Amino acid sequence: MKPDLRLEALTRRADPLADRTVAAIVGPWRDATQPGPEALARLAKVTRLTAQWRNNACLADWQPEADVGDPALVTALRDYLREGSRLPGWADPARIARAEAVFVQEGPLSCTLLFCASLPECYVPPQLAEVLHVAGQLEAHTEHRIRQTAAMVFPVMLKGGLTDPAGCGVAQVLKVRLIHATIRHLILHGDPEQASGRVAPGSGRGDGTDGHGALHQALLTHGWDIDRRGLPCNQFELAYTLLTFHFVFLRGMRTLGLGLVKADEEAFLHAWNVVGHVLGVQDDLMPATYDEANQAFRRMQVFGRGQAAAPDVRPGLGQALMQAMARSIRIPVLRQVPVPLTQWLIGAQSARDIGLGSAAPLSTRAVFTAGRVLAGTIDRLVRYVSPQFSLSRLFVRVVGYHLLSRFLLDQTRPLGLPEQVLHPMHCAVAAWHDEPRAPDWLNRLEDRWTTTGPWAASAAGAVTNNNRHQPGG
């Protein structure tokens, strides 16, 4: 098969704005493999400073809340915010608002599809999976990765997240963009624009890596072959990941028999394309329609699968994700459902890529297949008299409830988000307890598998309302 030269070129492009910022923060390296303790201390200081980016309004004229004793560092961050926080001229507030409404309406389904489709598809390209593996140690910290992802999704998709000065979406995305640049800088031992050939693993000994050391040491000691792999967190990987957030969600809704109308699909793509622009993705890599996104995703997966995978970390990542979801479901009969659900949503080839070809017992897969076929058949028949009826939606909402309870609503492990995000997020999730398009009897049935009343968490991580209705709970 002939190589895709355009996609190959994208693997050697990164993000000049964010890379310049991190290079200015880190400064000259002490030697070829170590940036020096003072540089790593500045990176740790940046983490504390970016925590002050609490909403979109503060970005344009941000000043640290206390003297940090490093004016060059503050100047680098202010320059980054001044350029990076601007939305593209093509951003359409009306379409963004429409996408926000879709997210609020389909919230539990959005979360289930994030966990059972978007994240698994991220693991398919081997080089992207390797970056995720080394940067996040995902097999050991899968729940942390899930929570980090949700900590970006909610701020950008809640009302006003991208367009309201009081929103927090732009601020959260710019933090993620800096993390990507930091990963590149430490793996490549310097500015990506200056890196070439093979980057030898560093020693990673001490030198200020305490506190943030596990991540810094993993990045510094990993090594990288640019000629074979391109740059870490490159434009191909950024654009592909963006597709997993918007296209894979839309594809999943269609797979469930709950596809959105065309205007809603295009509004959802548009809103996430605005996110992609703020994240540093090239504008020409962003599809405007479902068909364009489908073609781009298929092409990128073919290219991604052609990358070398030695060692192949993808099965470990996929299986760790499934185990994390199984632990989150308190109803025993549903505990293994995420595996066949993921296999169905992402397809057999992607499932094999990430080690899920036969991860669930045959009996579980058989029961799941029979159940979804039966539900789909009933849905099609009942919709002749009740167009919004859906057993499939009920099932995916139940799974979404248990994943939300574990990963987002557990107050023993609060998300590291400002109160401006946490409060509207909790309000939105609490309101998801009732599906207005479902008949009352179907909502009562859902309550037996979830909880009665708002979906809100207590300090112990369980829902505050009566859980006695949960079979096996």
Side-chain angles (χ1 to χ4, degrees), residues 409-429:
L409 299 181
D410 187 346
Q411 296 302 297
T412 64
R413 303 172 302 158
L415 290 172
L417 291 172
E419 182 59 29
Q420 297 98 310
V421 174
L422 288 175
H423 178 68
M425 184 190 81
H426 287 147
C427 289
V429 173

Side-chain angles (χ1 to χ4, degrees), residues 250-273:
L250 298 175
R251 185 192 65 183
M253 292 294 289
R254 289 189 177 195
T255 300
L256 293 169
L258 301 169
L260 307 177
V261 299
K262 181 179 179 181
D264 282 347
E265 287 188 333
E266 293 185 357
F268 200 83
L269 287 165
H270 178 81
W272 274 101
N273 284 342

Side-chain angles (χ1 to χ4, degrees), residues 347-433:
Q349 185 170 2
S350 289
R352 288 193 298 270
D353 289 338
I354 65 172
L356 303 184
S358 57
L362 180 60
S363 58
T364 299
R365 285 180 281 156
V367 170
F368 174 83
T369 300
R372 72 172 176 81
V373 170
L374 178 62
T377 301
I378 293 173
D379 285 352
R380 287 191 293 273
L381 293 175
V382 176
R383 283 177 189 161
Y384 284 111
V385 294
S386 180
Q388 298 296 326
F389 181 87
S390 178
L391 290 177
S392 299
R393 179 183 284 114
L394 165 70
F395 170 75
V396 178
R397 280 175 55 87
V398 170
V399 174
Y401 163 80
H402 287 276
L403 298 177
L404 285 164
S405 297
R406 169 82 179 194
F407 298 131
L408 300 185
L409 299 181
D410 187 346
Q411 296 302 297
T412 64
R413 303 172 302 158
L415 290 172
L417 291 172
E419 182 59 29
Q420 297 98 310
V421 174
L422 288 175
H423 178 68
M425 184 190 81
H426 287 147
C427 289
V429 173
W432 289 342
H433 74 94

Side-chain angles (χ1 to χ4, degrees), residues 221-237:
T221 60
H222 187 67
W224 200 259
D225 187 342
I226 296 172
D227 292 338
R228 184 170 67 90
R229 301 173 175 173
L231 301 173
C233 299
N234 56 60
Q235 281 293 320
F236 165 79
E237 293 169 355

